[in-house]
Amino acid sequence: MSVELDMTGRKVVVAGGASGIGRATVTLLRAAGARTCILDLAPEDAGGAQDERIAMDIADESSVQSALGRAAQVMGGLDGLVNTAGIFDPSTISDTDLSLWNRMIAVNLTGTYLLARHAIPLLRKQQSGSIVLLASGVALVPPGPGSAAYVASKGGVLSLGRSLAREAAPKIRVNCVCPGMVDTPMTRTVLHDNNKVRPEIVANYALQRAATAEEIAQAILWLTSSASSYVTGIAMPVDGGRTFH
């Protein structure tokens, strides 16, 4: 492990850290020496005994504010925030009723705003801080028909991240990771058919496969670490060559 990726002494909150990309991120952060705190609806399902775990509803402001405050208190401060919490639905716009639309925006976009709003004052108390938001490759190039509410919510995350990068500077860096298709429990029903990866989906990717959660977590780790100390406001595609940004 390089010196730049040594996270010893860093205190990082991972929202959505109980599964998928979030859980892989927690594993890598801890391996690099960071202290982590998982915020999730079901935090008891995640990590080992060394992880702090706090229940949080990302769509509820009081829950977000309380969870972040408690995390900072338990860890003795906050150096980093990673938000991997989110929901997905492949519905076309005609099949997206208002309740689905509102839920997608509430969790994916409003939840991101709530985390940033209440984390930034905590991060400003440190000498430096990093926020990494999980947008999506679909925020760069929509995948085709369907997923209208999801695409809209992730496009909002991308724009919010860019705005926050300017507002939070110079002490806090804000970046977005834009994954392509990742093989996680959230995407499995779309990616797989009879336990086999659907070839028409991976055909859109130059690398001809979906990513693992660990491959996305590697990008998150780099953006959280001092190795990316002069990087802020970017949208980093980790999409196996679907968008070629």
Side-chain angles (χ1 to χ4, degrees):
M1 184 178 297
S2 65
V3 173
E4 292 82 2
L5 292 181
D6 182 0
M7 297 285 289
T8 302
R10 303 285 287 179
K11 310 171 209 45
V12 184
V13 160
V14 181
S19 63
I21 296 169
R23 189 163 188 170
T25 300
V26 169
T27 299
L28 288 183
L29 285 168
R30 285 197 54 78
R35 185 172 182 182
T36 61
C37 185
I38 295 166
L39 308 184
D40 206 290
L41 276 173
E44 66 277 2
D45 294 337
Q50 293 176 308
D51 293 312
E52 301 292 346
R53 291 166 278 179
I54 299 172
M56 182 194 73
D57 180 355
I58 195 174
D60 180 84
E61 183 167 19
S62 62
S63 178
V64 171
Q65 185 174 16
S66 174
L68 283 170
R70 184 178 164 198
Q73 183 179 35
V74 167
M75 293 193 296
L78 187 64
D79 301 299
L81 166 68
V82 175
N83 181 26
T84 65
I87 55 175
F88 171 76
D89 189 279
S91 297
T92 62
I93 194 69
S94 60
D95 291 327
T96 302
D97 60 23
L98 186 57
S99 62
L100 173 57
W101 174 271
N102 286 342
R103 181 62 179 161
M104 195 71 63
I105 297 298
V107 172
N108 292 351
L109 180 54
T110 303
T112 301
Y113 143 75
L114 291 173
L115 280 167
R117 180 169 188 258
H118 293 290
I120 285 175
L122 299 170
L123 291 166
R124 281 185 171 142
K125 295 178 181 180
Q126 308 300 112
Q127 291 302 309
S128 64
S130 175
I131 296 175
V132 181
L133 306 177
L134 204 65
S136 174
V138 303
L140 301 170
V141 178
S147 309
Y150 179 76
V151 172
S153 69
K154 290 300 185 176
V157 169
L158 186 56
S159 293
L160 176 61
R162 288 168 169 163
S163 178
L164 291 175
R166 188 65 185 89
E167 182 176 328
K171 291 186 69 173
I172 302 170
R173 299 182 298 109
V174 184
N175 292 290
C176 291
V177 171
C178 299
M181 180 60 73
V182 186
D183 196 345
T184 67
M186 186 176 77
T187 62
R188 201 146 289 153
T189 56
V190 174
L191 179 61
H192 290 260
D193 183 20
N194 292 324
N195 295 318
K196 294 183 179 180
V197 173
R198 295 170 59 190
E200 68 272 22
I201 292 181
V202 295
N204 294 317
Y205 296 83
L207 298 186
Q208 295 288 292
R209 63 177 178 84
T212 65
E214 290 74 17
E215 288 174 311
I216 310 304
Q218 289 283 358
I220 294 172
L221 174 65
W222 183 75
L223 288 172
T224 307
S225 76
S226 60
S228 59
S229 58
Y230 200 59
V231 178
T232 195
I234 71 165
M236 177 188 284
V238 189
D239 65 1
R242 187 182 76 86
T243 63
F244 287 103
H245 275 71

